[in-house]
Amino acid sequence: MSVLVYLENWDGKFKKVSHELLSYGKSLADKMGVSMFALSLGAVDSNELESLKAFGPEKIFIATNGFETLDNEVFAAAISQAAEKEDASMVVFSQDNVGNALAGHVAVKLKAGLVSAVSALPVSFDPFIIKKKIYTNKVYGHVKVNTDKKVLSLSKNTYEIIENPGAGEVEELSLDLPVAKTKVESVDKVTGKLLLTDAELVVSAGRGLKGPENWGMIEELAQVLGAATGCSRPVSDEGWRPHTEHVGQTGKIIAPNLYLAIGISGAIQHVGGISNSKCIVAINKDPDAPIFEVADYGIVGDAFKVVPELINELKKA
Amino acid sequence: MNILVCVSNVPDTTTKVKFNGTQLVTEGVQWIVNPWDELAITRALELKESGAGVDKITIATVGLVGVEPTMRKGLAMGADDAIRVDSDPKDAFYTASQLAEVVKAGNYDLIMTGFESADYNGISVGAMLSELMGYASVGAVSAVNIIDGKLQIDREIDGGKEVLSVETPLVVSVQKGIAIDPRIPAMRGIMMARRKPLKVLAPVDADVYTEIVEIELPKAKSAVKLFDAEDVAGLVDALRNEANVI
Ligand SMILES: Cc1cc2nc3c(=O)[nH]c(=O)nc-3n(C[C@H](O)[C@H](O)[C@H](O)COP(=O)(O)OP(=O)(O)OC[C@H]3O[C@@H](n4cnc5c(N)ncnc54)[C@H](O)[C@@H]3O)c2cc1C
Ligand SMILES: Nc1ncnc2c1ncn2[C@@H]1O[C@H](COP(=O)(O)O)[C@@H](O)[C@H]1O
């Protein structure tokens, strides 16, 4: 028995979430009294692999060729073969676009129950019960998994990073892969911009801002804080901001350390996307806006006055 | 080209959910087409209407008879016919197994699922269905186009998108962007929907891998700490020294 953690790489590099996943996998493995293995597919720098050792993998499996394009069938075959090799009873993914697309494939291959978007260790191992938020984050469900093998996906920025050095020997796997059915025709991507889904600080604004011409101060505030920018759904529907910034139940579900909501009323569908944030701050001119029910801190006031002052105050020290 | 849209019947997202044990109290709950599935139907209709070569749009739901009004909404939007598998959707694997039978019995080139079902938030059924069928799958799909009779799929990636060509049959899991405004059924559509075929299939035996054994309410949040609009400095200080988030 073992725990296998699948680590996605982004252009050959690992993100902070990889360290969260390893920390989580290691805690699971320790509780089960088994080893944790990591798996990385595609080309990665060797010093990147080296950096993973600090988080406790017994071995780091790699396979380099054939993973240039994310073809779910190819990746799922590779991951389940690695899982079978080490008799993994638990496979852990990151809950993101890639993890979501792969976890279901791997779960079916391994005949494993899948619980997605978990944020903590299981409540119990025998029977195996783990909590996850359901009904768009309104309540926790305790999910009992009846299969011997389990597949989990862990939400970003929810599990603490714990250093815990492991042997971390790198081993190249030889795998039997299917032929890819997906082909990338073109890629359109900006690099260097802080992504909403990676950000620990998020500045988000809603219809209270009146129009796209007023986003200058939002971007400036985000820049001063080193935050990513988000928005409410009507703002992206109106085309004031790109769809990738839409936060909420039907947009991005995020859990930053700080979520600053400016001129956002706090509709239940919006709150469904931010309720796991560590700290929510609201700036709204309406003292009865529902956002204040979920906020930790707030200012009742006009965003056009408060935001510039906030920028000045933050620039001070 | 034939399209199958998998439709989940969920409580209206503004519902204040209440439970009796692990059962949702359904009294007063408004049921809707799962928001992403609604966008999937909308996009399928747009493709059909644009003359891109879509012959038929079918919707499929795993659910007891109570889901039929929601399925009729899908038909009223403009889907051609509907298939209901007469069973409680016990868990993601069970549901995907039922949908796989629907897929096998039909002749679909494109199968659309939503990102997640707004009740159990499984984020699972689409990928499981494609694995069960041995079909290609694409997740995080933000656009579906048909160009010269071939599917072209946009997939969201960090910081942008990839444009993919994929062999059919294919399962996609769609998200925001696939369509903007969900199609609102017109009166004529609602009238026509009553006469459109809604076939009921018996479920097949399938394993149930997971079950919800307890519902826990999140801890009540402590009251918001308000600062005066003149005291922005107080807020910044609290974020720096009390919450320690900046
Ligand atoms: C199925 C479904 C799914 C949905 N999913 C989402 C989702 O994922 N995300 C989402 O965001 N919404 C979603 N919505 C929409 C949601 O219900 C709300 O309509 C939306 O969140 C409101 O956006 P808003 O807060 O920007 O605008 P409004 O509700 O119009 O609120 C604007 C706020 O700004 C304040 N304000 C105005 N002027 C100022 C000022 N000068 N200074 C300070 N404050 C000011 C007002 O007091 C008000 O509270 C969904 C709706 C449905 C039906
Ligand atoms: N009971 C169901 N019947 C038909 N399709 C479903 C059902 N449950 C989920 N789906 C489909 O699977 C998607 C993802 O749901 P889930 O994996 O449950 O979060 C939904 O958007 C639907 O397209």
Side-chain angles (χ1 to χ4, degrees):
Chain A
M1 287 216 295
S2 67
V3 172
L4 180 72
V5 176
Y6 173 64
L7 300 176
E8 211 175 311
N9 73 74
W10 288 262
D11 302 323
K13 303 249 180 298
F14 296 110
K15 290 186 186 175
K16 179 176 153 264
V17 60
S18 310
H19 303 164
E20 294 166 11
L21 284 167
L22 288 169
S23 304
Y24 184 77
K26 180 67 179 156
S27 303
L28 278 176
D30 285 349
K31 291 214 183 301
M32 293 159 64
V34 302
S35 299
M36 169 180 70
F37 297 91
L39 171 67
S40 159
L41 300 174
V44 233
D45 311 346
S46 54
N47 52 338
E48 283 285 311
L49 291 169
E50 193 68 24
S51 72
L52 301 176
K53 278 188 188 175
F55 308 98
E58 169 127 352
K59 271 186 197 170
I60 303 164
F61 293 117
I62 58 165
T64 320
N65 297 320
F67 302 100
E68 293 73 24
T69 307
L70 171 64
D71 181 281
N72 293 330
E73 291 178 291
V74 172
F75 276 62
I79 296 164
S80 39
Q81 284 168 33
E84 272 158 10
K85 177 178 153 63
E86 288 302 334
D87 188 24
S89 40
M90 203 92 66
V91 182
V92 184
F93 290 90
S94 166
Q95 197 266 294
D96 57 21
N97 285 347
V98 173
N100 293 341
L102 294 174
H105 277 276
V106 171
V108 171
K109 280 186 194 293
L110 299 178
K111 296 193 166 44
L114 163 61
V115 188
S116 63
V118 300
S119 55
L121 291 171
V123 179
S124 70
F125 280 87
D126 190 18
F128 186 90
I129 296 175
I130 192 161
K131 285 205 280 192
K132 72 164 289 186
K133 285 206 173 160
I134 57 172
Y135 287 93
T136 50
N137 282 333
K138 289 175 198 143
V139 295
Y140 287 103
H142 289 224
V143 185
K144 178 164 166 272
V145 184
N146 298 323
T147 47
D148 292 340
K149 293 180 183 170
K150 285 104 191 160
V151 174
L152 304 175
S153 73
L154 177 71
S155 298
K156 282 186 189 176
N157 209 29
T158 55
Y159 199 76
E160 182 194 1
I161 294 176
I162 312 162
E163 296 222 9
N164 196 341
E169 183 196 323
V170 176
E171 183 180 323
E172 175 101 34
L173 291 179
S174 70
L175 301 163
D176 181 16
L177 301 176
V179 178
K181 295 177 193 153
T182 23
K183 189 164 157 252
V184 177
E185 301 289 348
S186 62
V187 181
D188 178 3
K189 115 173 167 182
V190 261
T191 46
K193 189 173 183 287
L194 179 58
L195 298 170
L196 187 53
T197 43
D198 287 342
E200 291 180 15
L201 307 176
V202 173
V203 174
S204 192
R207 201 147 53 182
L209 271 260
K210 311 282 186 283
E213 66 281 6
N214 295 325
W215 248 262
M217 64 178 188
I218 300 298
E219 291 197 320
E220 190 181 351
L221 177 57
Q223 204 206 338
V224 172
L225 280 167
T229 46
C231 67
S232 66
R233 170 161 143 176
V235 165
S236 66
D237 282 357
E238 292 291 334
W240 297 358
R241 300 295 293 177
H243 285 300
T244 45
E245 288 197 0
H246 162 191
V247 172
Q249 184 220 315
T250 46
K252 298 267 173 352
I253 295 168
I254 53 174
N257 294 342
L258 171 66
Y259 185 78
L260 184 49
I262 301 164
I264 291 179
S265 59
I268 198 157
Q269 300 97 347
H270 188 82
V271 170
I274 58 165
S275 63
N276 287 337
S277 306
K278 310 263 175 343
C279 176
I280 297 175
V281 177
I283 297 169
N284 196 304
K285 68 174 185 190
D286 174 8
D288 296 324
I291 191 74
F292 288 117
E293 287 163 29
V294 295
D296 300 280
Y297 299 100
I299 289 182
V300 178
D302 182 354
F304 295 98
K305 292 210 183 85
V306 176
V307 172
E309 275 179 44
L310 195 51
I311 294 169
N312 282 339
E313 192 61 37
L314 286 163
K315 277 183 174 166
K316 272 189 202 162
Chain B
M1 183 175 299
N2 294 328
I3 302 180
L4 179 73
V5 185
C6 300
V7 172
S8 168
N9 169 58
V10 299
D12 178 0
T13 44
T14 54
T15 307
K16 295 239 155 58
V17 290
K18 281 198 225 103
F19 291 85
N20 184 356
T22 57
Q23 288 301 314
L24 178 74
V25 176
T26 54
E27 232 172 14
V29 171
Q30 275 269 28
W31 297 92
I32 59 165
V33 175
N34 189 40
W36 295 273
D37 308 351
E38 193 180 32
L39 293 179
I41 298 175
T42 304
R43 184 58 193 156
L45 290 167
E46 289 169 0
L47 288 170
K48 189 176 176 199
E49 290 154 0
S50 72
V54 173
D55 302 306
K56 198 165 112 181
I57 302 166
T58 304
I59 58 176
T61 303
V62 181
L64 298 173
V65 67
V67 306
E68 287 194 1
T70 298
M71 299 182 75
R72 292 278 171 209
K73 264 182 231 162
L75 291 171
M77 287 170 73
D80 297 293
D81 61 358
I83 300 170
R84 177 171 72 83
V85 180
D86 187 26
S87 171
D88 215 17
K90 299 188 174 91
D91 84 334
F93 181 75
Y94 179 90
T95 302
S97 303
Q98 304 306 326
L99 291 169
E101 295 304 314
V102 173
V103 173
K104 281 178 208 159
N107 176 22
Y108 306 104
D109 305 280
L110 172 66
I111 296 145
M112 300 176 91
T113 64
F115 158 67
E116 70 174 358
S117 192
D119 46 8
Y120 289 109
N121 306 97
I123 327 179
S124 316
V125 168
M128 286 183 173
L129 176 58
S130 53
E131 180 63 36
L132 286 167
M133 294 306 301
Y135 288 0
S137 76
V138 185
V141 168
S142 55
V144 175
N145 291 298
I146 301 176
I147 293 169
D148 298 331
K150 289 216 151 63
L151 278 175
Q152 197 188 67
I153 310 285
D154 287 7
R155 166 163 68 197
E156 192 195 54
I157 54 171
D158 278 2
K161 66 169 188 187
E162 284 173 348
V163 181
L164 305 170
S165 59
V166 192
E167 279 177 29
T168 52
L170 165 70
V171 181
V172 295
S173 222
V174 308
Q175 61 174 37
K176 179 73 191 298
I178 176 107
I180 305 300
D181 289 317
R183 182 70 55 94
I184 313 282
M187 196 34 113
R188 196 176 119 79
I190 296 169
M191 301 298 287
M192 277 167 55
R194 293 193 193 142
R195 290 193 304 273
K196 285 182 180 170
L198 193 164
K199 195 157 90 187
V200 181
L201 299 179
V204 292
D205 278 342
D207 288 328
V208 178
Y209 287 168
T210 59
E211 58 186 305
I212 296 200
V213 290
E214 192 186 321
I215 298 288
E216 179 188 325
L217 302 179
K219 277 194 276 314
K221 242 194 135 145
S222 49
V224 57
K225 197 162 166 181
L226 289 179
F227 291 87
D228 201 85
E230 267 66 61
D231 188 20
V232 173
L235 172 66
V236 170
D237 183 60
L239 295 179
R240 282 207 177 115
N241 301 315
E242 193 176 82
N244 294 313
V245 287
I246 58 171

